[in-house]
Amino acid sequence: MPANTASIAPGEAPRLAERRPWLPRWLSSEHPFPWLFPAAALMAVFGIYPLLYAIWLSLYKRNAATRKMVFDPDHNWTKILWDERVWNALMNTFVYTGVALVFQLVLGMLIALLLDSDRKGYGVLRAMMTLPLVIPPAVTAMMFLLMLNGSFGVLSRGLIATGVLPPGFSILGSANTAMAGVLLAEIWQWTPFMVLIMLAGLRSLPKEPFEAAAIDGASAVQAFFRLTLPMMSKVIAIAVLIRGIDLFRAFDYVKVMTDSGPGTATETLTSYAGRIYFGNADFPYASTVALLTLIIVILVSSAFMKAFKVKL
């Protein structure tokens, strides 16, 4: 029977290795390779290989007539510079990311401040905040698609009844309001994520500075802006970085609720790449648009981390 590794003394590991000369050192328990290999293998299969394959595809040009690919490294990257839909999708992506991020951050902080209490029942409320996060985004999108329907949607009918919208108006059917409808679903589902991060940050703050501020006569608003926000800056920066990256590649809500419409009013970079890939079967150009998205995310994230001194 092999020895129980939990009861091995610090000096016994070399002696155990000597008893098993047939076992390579890199497979012994004190070597990190056996523990890192599963994660490294998954990253290679599902991360590195698709990236390399996308780079390889972007170097080819697809002939629509013959349905064959011809090696032409400059074609797709030149085409993307003159493609107006790419720039429209890029603008929509930045608007989508910026608006959703602001609302989620502000609402997340406000709700976290309300839930930052040890009174009876608040633990249940904090647990209930996680419920939207377990719903698949496609299901959430379908739910809001039905609620925003101009004929029978409960949200649309409520806005029509109060006179905010004219009778029969479809929020998702208008180019002026479709983006707001998609953002509503995004904000509803992912604001609880911000709440949990902000709440964890609030719970970790020391109480002494706030007690001293209260003795000095500082109001709750003054304590928030002069103590809470500065001490929460790193937590807020990490939350913004994580959500910003996720928002920039948003696809589910746009695909299910509007399919990038009306026209291209809600088309983002990822939804445009998906339409090229599945609709036009132009795999090289779709890969190029996807790589452009990745490059922008890396550049913006790196600049953000450097500006706010975020270390992951």
Side-chain angles (χ1 to χ4, degrees):
M1 294 292 291
N4 186 3
T5 55
S7 61
I8 296 176
E12 294 182 10
R15 291 196 295 270
L16 288 176
E18 293 176 0
R19 297 173 192 171
R20 295 178 291 182
W22 52 271
L23 187 64
R25 184 183 179 279
W26 57 270
L27 279 179
S28 59
S29 60
E30 68 270 11
H31 200 281
F33 181 80
W35 314 107
L36 295 177
F37 177 76
L42 289 175
M43 183 178 294
V45 173
F46 296 105
I48 298 177
Y49 171 74
L51 174 61
L52 295 177
Y53 185 64
I55 295 174
W56 177 79
L57 278 177
S58 68
L59 302 178
Y60 283 80
K61 172 186 176 181
R62 183 178 183 272
N63 191 316
T66 61
R67 297 184 179 181
K68 293 182 178 180
M69 295 194 300
V70 180
F71 185 74
D72 191 351
D74 300 331
H75 174 76
N76 291 314
W77 292 103
T78 304
K79 180 181 178 180
I80 209 170
L81 296 176
W82 302 101
D83 190 347
E84 294 183 0
R85 289 187 65 173
V86 169
W87 298 107
N88 176 72
L90 180 61
M91 180 61 66
N92 287 340
T93 303
F94 275 114
V95 171
Y96 185 93
T97 302
V99 173
L101 202 53
V102 169
F103 273 92
Q104 290 175 9
L105 179 60
V106 174
L107 291 175
M109 178 60 79
L110 291 176
I111 298 173
L113 289 171
L114 292 175
L115 294 179
D116 185 21
S117 174
D118 294 324
R119 285 181 289 181
K120 186 177 180 180
Y122 276 70
V124 177
L125 293 176
R126 288 192 291 268
M128 290 177 63
M129 288 300 301
T130 63
L131 293 179
L133 298 176
V134 303
I135 303 174
V139 175
T140 300
M142 181 59 68
M143 181 175 65
F144 275 86
L145 175 63
L146 296 175
M147 289 194 296
L148 294 174
N149 185 279
S151 301
F152 55 82
V154 61
L155 292 180
S156 293
R157 289 178 68 88
L159 293 174
I160 292 172
T162 55
V164 177
L165 297 178
F169 183 83
S170 175
I171 295 177
L172 298 177
S174 172
N176 296 324
T177 57
M179 182 65 81
V182 178
L183 282 168
L184 182 62
E186 172 77 52
I187 293 169
W188 177 85
Q189 179 157 33
W190 290 102
T191 295
F193 177 81
M194 281 291 195
V195 173
L196 295 178
I197 294 181
M198 297 299 112
L199 194 56
L202 291 173
R203 290 286 190 169
S204 66
L205 296 180
K207 296 182 179 180
E208 290 78 8
F210 296 93
E211 295 173 351
I215 294 174
D216 292 339
S219 64
V221 176
Q222 291 175 327
F224 175 75
F225 283 102
R226 297 184 180 182
L227 292 176
T228 304
L229 281 184
M231 289 190 290
M232 287 275 292
S233 59
K234 296 299 182 182
V235 175
I236 294 174
I238 293 175
V240 169
L241 179 64
I242 294 174
R243 284 301 301 142
I245 293 174
D246 191 50
L247 284 165
F248 205 85
R249 59 182 185 85
F251 177 80
D252 308 72
Y253 305 98
V254 174
K255 180 63 179 177
V256 174
M257 297 180 70
T258 62
D259 197 16
S260 301
T264 58
T266 58
E267 188 171 69
T268 60
L269 283 174
T270 51
S271 64
Y272 182 42
R275 176 168 291 188
I276 298 170
Y277 193 95
F278 297 106
N280 303 340
D282 192 350
F283 311 129
Y285 190 50
S287 299
T288 307
V289 175
L291 287 174
L292 174 66
T293 307
L294 176 63
I295 292 171
I296 294 174
V297 168
I298 292 174
L299 292 177
V300 174
S301 300
S302 300
F304 180 85
M305 293 175 67
K306 185 175 182 180
F308 291 90
K309 299 179 180 179
V310 177
K311 294 182 180 180
L312 298 178

